[in-house]
Amino acid sequence: NAGVTQTPKFQVLKTGQSMTLQCAQDMNHNSMYWYRQDPGMGLRLIYYSASEGTTDKGEVPNGYNVSRLNKREFSLRLESAAPSQTSVYFCASSEPPSGGPVTTDNEQFFGPGTRLTVL
Amino acid sequence: GENVEQHPSTLSVQEGDSAVIKCTYSDSASNYFPWYKQELGKGPQLIIDIRSNVGEKKDQRIAVTLNKTAKHFSLHITETQPEDSAVYFCAASMKTGGFKTIFGAGTRLFVKA
């Protein structure tokens, strides 16, 4: 069981370049998330996918797009990278608590992160 | 907008002492409050969580308390050990009308041997 995997681990881009961050989970979770982590600001939600086939904006979606390719995979795309997107990006997945209300969240399992620098 | 405030930002304790980290949240609809520990170069990992229908939860040396009226919750670590040194994040989450998890800014805990 690898849990949540992310590729690449590190990436350097020039302003205006595009790239896709890949995320996969092997826990059969329905929900997946993309966060960015900046110093002194905790984690901020970029996009999430409550289930296969659905995606929704989080707190800071501007400049990003996502694709929920299948139940396992959730990718994050930067179409035209900007220095403000320099950050550490984390993917996570979760499953609603068994038998619990659908309006509550549950433990999120995080990947190891991708450190992105945009010059 | 909604936010979660976390204090202190840095905490240094002697091995064996207790550590307390406090968070306040603004959205009264929040119903799930996890605490994550992040070690250097790794992703956050859940250490304990509490739901809005419970006031306190304990797991060995770690406990969390929730005061819904005051909208604050706290993490208590007793008998701290050097391996407790890490960054700790609180979060407040709700899924009514969409999904929202707001994280605190983090507390860097140093446990001195």
Side-chain angles (χ1 to χ4, degrees):
Chain A
N1 241 4
V4 179
T5 57
Q6 292 183 237
T7 55
K9 285 192 165 66
F10 302 93
Q11 184 72 47
V12 179
L13 293 177
K14 293 181 180 178
T15 297
Q17 287 185 318
S18 62
M19 79 159 297
T20 300
L21 281 64
Q22 307 286 355
C23 173
Q25 51 93 8
D26 62 2
M27 295 172 283
N28 203 36
H29 287 168
N30 277 297
S31 301
M32 297 185 74
Y33 316 86
W34 275 105
Y35 292 92
R36 61 177 288 172
Q37 184 175 35
D38 301 296
M41 298 188 74
L43 293 103
R44 291 182 293 169
L45 184 67
I46 304 171
Y47 270 93
Y48 70 96
S49 172
S51 61
E52 186 179 355
T54 68
T55 61
D56 285 286
K57 295 178 181 179
E59 191 182 352
V60 288
N62 291 345
Y64 306 95
N65 284 302
V66 291
S67 295
R68 183 73 184 267
L69 304 169
N70 48 55
K71 193 172 185 180
R72 288 188 65 247
E73 298 171 288
F74 188 38
S75 63
L76 178 71
R77 182 159 179 84
L78 287 71
E79 289 291 351
S80 178
S84 60
Q85 294 178 304
T86 293
S87 188
V88 181
Y89 291 85
F90 288 99
C91 177
S93 70
S94 73
E95 189 69 15
S98 174
V102 295
T103 57
T104 189
D105 197 7
N106 207 13
E107 174 181 6
Q108 292 186 29
F109 294 82
F110 286 83
T114 294
R115 186 173 293 275
L116 175 67
T117 301
V118 183
L119 302 175
Chain B
E2 291 83 0
N3 72 309
V4 173
E5 292 190 3
Q6 182 172 347
H7 299 281
S9 56
T10 306
L11 179 59
S12 184
V13 301
Q14 204 68 36
E15 181 178 2
D17 287 350
S18 295
V20 179
I21 302 170
K22 298 183 179 182
C23 289
T24 58
Y25 61 99
S26 59
D27 191 342
S28 57
S30 296
N31 56 16
Y32 176 67
F33 305 91
W35 286 89
Y36 289 88
K37 175 183 181 182
Q38 185 177 28
E39 295 176 342
L40 195 62
K42 296 184 178 180
Q45 187 169 11
L46 184 80
I47 55 170
I48 195 166
D49 55 13
I50 193 167
R51 301 189 188 276
S52 57
N53 58 348
V54 175
E56 185 173 358
K57 185 176 178 181
K58 190 173 181 181
D59 182 4
Q60 299 182 341
R61 297 186 297 109
I62 296 172
V64 58
T65 58
L66 171 65
N67 183 326
K68 284 189 298 182
T69 303
K71 290 192 282 189
H72 68 68
F73 56 115
S74 301
L75 177 71
H76 305 252
I77 305 174
T78 59
E79 300 171 24
T80 54
Q81 300 164 5
E83 51 264 38
D84 293 329
S85 296
V87 179
Y88 292 81
F89 292 97
C90 63
S93 178
M94 50 85 77
K95 291 179 74 175
T96 303
F99 171 81
K100 188 184 299 176
T101 287
I102 307 293
F103 281 80
T107 296
R108 187 172 294 277
L109 174 64
F110 297 96
V111 180
K112 295 175 287 187

